[in-house]
Amino acid sequence: MAHDNSQSYQPSYSTRPTLRVDLPQIRINYEALKLKVGVAKIGASIKADAYGLGAVPVAKTLYGAGCRIFFVATAGEGKMVRDGVGPNAAIYVLNGPAPRDKGVLLGAKLKPVINSLEQARYWADVSRSINEPPYTAIHIDTGMNRLGLSFDDVVELGRDKSMWSALNPEWVMSHLACASDAENPMNKTQLARFRKAAAQLPLTPLSLANTAGIYLGKPYHFQMVRPGIGLYGGVATNKPEQEIGRPVATLMAPILQVKWVKAGEAIGYNGTYIAPRDMRVAIVGAGYADGVPVSMSNKGTAILHDEEVKIVGRVSMDLTMIDATDANLSVEVGGVVIFRGDHLETEAREAGTLNYELLVRLGQRCRRDYWKPKKKESE
Ligand SMILES: *Cc1c(COP(=O)(O)O)cnc(C)c1O
């Protein structure tokens, strides 16, 4: 069979990939989670630029849906969100108050999460030195051994009435290590430790659950839950069928060239793929710099015209090759190949990583295309 390597062109296309973010779906996911947790508040986790989707547009969308509590990792992220959503939202900084961030924290009226006695002492001093100090959240480590006060620290803080009132805690929180697996005994252990530690402190609203924690049931909800991945439609537990969030992000990349490769020829860096037959290969304008993991080389999939196509050869920095031999519809320059969307979990598995990591790396170089919520939702 002779193959024609001349190609047809779509009249106009960009060589740059686009990350499409479905903002109305983020709102729908928020409302579904809100319905599920009932009276508990939702503090939205929008750290790391809202998992790569854009902290400001995501925060504005959630604010429009009624969300008034946000969690970011750093003071710099907090300031960006403050500028985006205005004065009426509570913005918590998970990584705690570092002295060099004092100006940003106070200037943008951010609320630090207190993770240690050192941070507690430091921030109590800051609070005493200013008028109208911000509320804080006290973070207890109940077994994850990541950030947070130990039980002994909590006892000490509980005894120090002066420090407690200087800190003005609005929330006492902890974080679950194994909530994606409801059967893991660690969940109940952390729940019990959280209750016991909180009992050492003056009565304060409590928060324990991330997205996965929400699915552990009411006893884990307390007065606020802190979903992140669930707002963005990522699967958070090992029982995806129970989850209500739907995907919001799609990476769309243009076909830059189409060529027939003869059987026996190698494709891509280091020739890791040898064409087993004459193959029609599409060279697509998205690579690992755009968040397509190298680990998907020769095993990942993408979507072309609603059909699954295989990645062939090593993913390179700006380009990925796919096998389009059996594609039923036209394969032409400017055509769109989809790398993400409703198959984030499939791809994470193929890449040997987490859907969280895939998502967060996506937006870094891509043009972002936001679907704006309509002014009045007519649902
Ligand atoms: C990231 C984070 C969350 C949100 O977790 P998801 O699994 O994305 O729902 C909640 N709380 C803390 C402390 C976090 O670091």
Side-chain angles (χ1 to χ4, degrees):
M1 204 188 347
H3 298 300
D4 182 4
N5 262 344
S6 69
Q7 18 211 277
S8 62
Y9 276 77
Q10 297 232 334
S12 159
Y13 68 97
S14 165
T15 64
R16 215 178 153 198
T18 299
L19 181 70
R20 173 168 290 175
V21 182
D22 185 345
L23 293 175
Q25 186 62 50
I26 293 180
R27 182 183 178 125
I28 291 167
N29 290 344
Y30 171 85
E31 284 165 353
L33 287 172
K34 185 89 192 80
L35 211 60
K36 185 167 177 63
V37 299
V39 293
K41 292 187 168 154
I42 291 192
S45 171
I46 55 167
K47 60 203 186 192
D49 207 19
Y51 295 35
L53 302 179
V56 168
V58 168
K60 281 183 165 170
T61 300
L62 293 170
Y63 192 92
C67 185
R68 291 293 178 272
I69 307 172
F70 297 94
F71 285 86
V72 295
T74 66
E77 289 179 358
K79 177 165 171 26
M80 272 179 43
V81 173
R82 173 65 73 213
D83 293 344
V85 298
N88 295 327
I91 303 170
Y92 278 97
V93 177
L94 287 164
N95 288 3
R100 65 176 290 160
D101 294 335
K102 181 178 148 185
V104 178
L105 289 168
L106 295 177
K109 296 202 182 311
L110 307 176
K111 302 178 178 188
V113 173
I114 305 298
N115 297 300
S116 66
L117 279 181
E118 291 70 30
Q119 289 180 4
R121 289 189 197 101
Y122 167 66
W123 195 255
D125 286 345
V126 171
S127 283
R128 289 183 184 111
S129 71
I130 57 174
N131 293 324
E132 296 181 51
Y135 291 114
T136 63
I138 304 297
H139 187 188
I140 304 171
D141 180 358
T142 50
M144 185 171 183
N145 289 306
R146 209 174 66 169
L147 292 176
L149 288 90
S150 69
F151 182 79
D152 290 346
D153 295 340
V154 170
V155 170
E156 194 170 330
L157 176 61
R159 287 196 187 121
D160 193 335
K161 300 286 179 264
S162 149
M163 184 152 73
W164 181 266
S165 66
L167 291 174
N168 215 355
E170 188 177 29
W171 296 97
V172 167
M173 58 180 269
S174 185
H175 193 46
L176 294 163
C178 306
S180 63
D181 175 12
E183 309 303 317
N184 195 310
M186 187 65 177
N187 297 317
K188 287 203 170 104
T189 302
Q190 286 195 271
L191 180 62
R193 287 182 184 169
F194 184 49
R195 289 212 169 100
K196 184 168 170 229
Q200 312 300 312
L201 299 170
L203 200 61
T204 311
L206 303 176
S207 174
L208 178 63
N210 53 0
T211 304
I214 292 174
Y215 293 99
L216 294 177
K218 280 273 173 238
Y220 290 81
H221 296 175
F222 294 99
Q223 284 75 44
M224 172 173 59
V225 296
R226 306 186 307 270
I229 195 81
L231 295 171
Y232 317 122
V235 167
T237 72
N238 55 10
K239 293 206 187 73
E241 62 285 356
Q242 70 181 336
E243 298 191 35
I244 50 188
R246 293 291 167 262
V248 305
T250 307
L251 175 60
M252 301 187 303
I255 295 176
L256 301 180
Q257 201 175 3
V258 183
K259 57 181 59 170
W260 282 90
V261 173
K262 287 204 168 57
E265 291 271 311
I267 295 173
Y269 280 120
N270 300 91
T272 60
Y273 187 89
I274 310 291
R277 53 176 175 159
D278 287 4
M279 283 174 67
R280 181 169 55 174
V281 173
I283 293 90
V284 182
Y288 57 78
D290 306 294
V292 181
V294 178
S295 51
M296 274 172 56
S297 303
N298 292 318
K299 54 182 175 188
T301 52
I303 302 290
L304 174 65
H305 301 312
D306 292 331
E307 292 170 347
E308 204 171 275
V309 285
K310 286 201 157 55
I311 292 175
V312 288
R314 200 170 88 187
V315 173
S316 32
M317 189 177 287
D318 321 293
L319 301 166
T320 301
M321 280 74 85
I322 59 166
D323 175 4
T325 316
D326 299 325
N328 286 316
L329 296 172
S330 69
V331 181
E332 57 185 0
V333 171
V336 174
V337 173
I338 292 173
F339 280 93
R340 298 283 184 283
D342 44 10
H343 53 302
L344 194 60
E345 280 65 41
T346 316
E347 294 198 349
R349 218 174 307 120
E350 285 164 350
T353 180
L354 303 174
N355 49 358
Y356 292 72
E357 190 188 10
L358 283 188
L359 201 53
V360 83
R361 289 218 233 126
L362 269 182
Q364 293 177 8
R365 184 171 67 173
C366 308
R367 194 172 72 80
R368 288 185 192 145
D369 174 20
Y370 290 104
W371 284 15
K372 296 261 159 41
K374 294 183 210 79
K375 271 275 170 301
K376 260 218 150 111
E377 299 269 294
S378 48
E379 284 164 58

